[in-house]
Amino acid sequence: MTQNEKARQFSALHVKGNPLQLFNAWDAGSAKAIAAAGAPAIATSSWAVAAALGYRDGEDLPLPLALETIGRVAAAVEIPVSADFEGGYSDDDATLAENVARLLDTGIVGINFEDRIVKGSGLYSRERQAERIAAIRKAADRRGVDLFINARTDLFFEHFKDAENFVDEAVDRARAYAEAGASSLFVPGLVDDRLIERVVKGSVLPVNVMVMDGVSTPDRLAALGVARISFGNIPYVEAMGALGAAAKQVYSS
């Protein structure tokens, strides 16, 4: 398939009430294992990619190394690949567009892009993040790629204890992000079924939920209308736990 054929295939997997489940990868080997298990698409986890290479999450992983790793993932599998690109490694729109163009050259068809100020504090304003998303969409259009932009809002990480007070803001961000060219809304940190349903009903974009303590089962999330479920760093943590347990058996015998 061409890059755009993969992009269209990836977009079509986002169905409200029949969510795409993404068991996140961190390198070519993990991507191949997940694909062989029957995954229809691969998504990377920035946390896991960074950890596997000895870095912390938050764009501490050098951009060239991030691009190389993502490129190896995309080359290792035939199915669509979406990359967790954090904040795009720049506050400047022109540089952001250049970085995204380089990312597109790796063969990916989707991107996670967050509204957290990665090297600062808090979130970008709704309007400013919409400008940043628009810069990504224009960069993809210039390359002729139907990039799937998963617009992540960290509202519910910032306001976990009073999440209900920020549902309307999440819905408003979904609208602004959609107008700027986003393809879906990612709400990590939101765990309450009632609030997830409110976001799903209010959002003009399909909604992505992340697995974490307190989040309902995939079947229940499907019933709420969720279109995408991400496992984040859980696969990496579990894999390293299994590796450590196996190594302990060797060295404790």
Side-chain angles (χ1 to χ4, degrees), residues 204-252:
V204 297
L205 295 171
V207 174
N208 179 189
V209 170
M210 188 168 75
V211 175
M212 57 186 293
D213 288 344
V215 170
S216 289
T217 64
D219 285 347
R220 176 59 181 154
L221 292 175
L224 296 175
V226 170
R228 174 168 166 174
I229 300 170
S230 299
F231 283 76
N233 64 0
I234 290 174
Y236 176 83
V237 171
E238 290 183 343
M240 293 304 104
L243 177 63
K248 188 174 183 179
Q249 289 293 320
V250 171
Y251 296 114
S252 63

Side-chain angles (χ1 to χ4, degrees), residues 125-140:
S125 70
R126 187 192 317 159
E127 295 75 17
R128 178 67 188 116
Q129 185 66 2
E131 291 173 349
R132 286 162 53 75
I133 291 170
I136 291 175
R137 178 55 67 199
K138 289 178 183 177

Side-chain angles (χ1 to χ4, degrees), residues 35-52:
I42 295 292
T44 65
S45 157
S46 66
W47 190 100
V49 170

Side-chain angles (χ1 to χ4, degrees), residues 12-23:
L13 293 170
H14 293 74
V15 179
K16 184 176 180 179
N18 184 23
L20 167 63
Q21 296 192 58
L22 292 170
F23 201 70

Side-chain angles (χ1 to χ4, degrees), residues 55-73:
Y55 293 88
R56 295 191 306 175
D57 196 24
E59 297 181 1
D60 281 2
L61 177 65
L63 178 58
L65 186 52
L67 293 171
E68 179 184 352
T69 304
I70 292 166
R72 288 180 179 275
V73 169

Side-chain angles (χ1 to χ4, degrees), residues 3-4 6-15 20 22 41-43 80-85 100 103-104 107-113 133 136-137 140-141 145-152 181-186 205-208 227-228 230:
Q3 191 173 17
N4 268 338
K6 289 182 179 180
R8 288 189 286 272
Q9 181 184 46
F10 185 66
S11 180
L13 293 170
H14 293 74
V15 179
L20 167 63
L22 292 170
I42 295 292
V81 173
S82 180
D84 184 349
F85 207 45
V100 169
L103 181 64
L104 289 170
I108 60 94
V109 299
I111 182 175
N112 272 15
F113 184 63
I133 291 170
I136 291 175
R137 178 55 67 199
D141 288 346
V145 179
D146 296 328
L147 180 67
F148 191 97
I149 303 173
N150 191 33
R152 167 174 159 166
S183 311
S184 61
L185 178 71
F186 186 21
L205 295 171
V207 174
N208 179 189
R228 174 168 166 174
S230 299

